[in-house]
Amino acid sequence: MDVRVLIVDDQEPYRRAMAAVVEATDGFRVVGTATTGEESLDAVDDLRPDLVLMDVNLPGLDGVEATRRLAGRRDGPVVLLLSTYDVDQVDIEGSGAAAYLPKAELGPDRLSAAWQEGRGRLLDRG
């Protein structure tokens, strides 16, 4: 069974790039996209993804706060935060994100590894 992925980014080129990585990764498929933190919350309710690729910088509700809200749900998805910033420029502490990756480092191997790590944390929490 494929890992169902929701992509959240306000910039079309990044959504396309992330979708290409997901489609190139065995066992993963894109089930939807969103462009804001608010849309991501609704999309998770509607689409029930296993994994959310969440941009940090979103208009309105930012990706870190949207991740906090998703992580607070009992059956919430694994969330991987992404940004063009270096890891030391992003405060994800307490966000509930499985990991943070610079967008330039996202590839099939990193996606699979982050999913496995995040899934393990969910099972431990569960």
Side-chain angles (χ1 to χ4, degrees):
M1 188 157 127
D2 286 345
V3 176
R4 298 166 46 81
V5 182
L6 172 68
I7 295 171
V8 184
D9 199 299
D10 60 325
Q11 296 183 44
E12 170 83 21
Y14 285 120
R15 286 194 308 272
R16 280 199 313 262
M18 285 189 259
V21 169
V22 172
E23 297 299 338
T25 308
D26 285 342
F28 290 74
R29 72 181 167 95
V30 176
V31 296
T33 61
T35 59
T36 68
E38 291 89 351
E39 281 181 18
S40 74
L41 301 178
D42 292 338
V44 165
D45 289 339
D46 294 343
L47 301 171
R48 315 295 291 166
D50 303 303
L51 175 64
V52 177
L53 300 181
M54 179 83 71
D55 183 28
V56 168
N57 294 311
L58 296 169
L61 184 69
D62 72 20
V64 175
E65 181 57 30
T67 298
R68 253 187 214 103
R69 293 183 189 186
L70 291 173
R73 297 180 180 186
R74 197 172 95 63
D75 60 346
V78 171
V79 181
L80 177 60
L81 279 168
L82 298 135
S83 178
T84 54
Y85 297 117
D86 290 332
V87 69
D88 60 349
Q89 296 176 291
V90 180
D91 181 16
I92 67 162
E93 191 65 37
S95 69
Y100 170 81
L101 272 179
K103 288 180 181 178
E105 294 181 18
L106 182 65
D109 291 346
R110 295 296 298 268
L111 179 62
S112 293
W115 164 248
Q116 291 301 326
E117 180 180 327
R119 191 164 167 263
R121 285 189 194 167
L122 273 187
L123 294 174
D124 289 346
R125 180 175 89 191

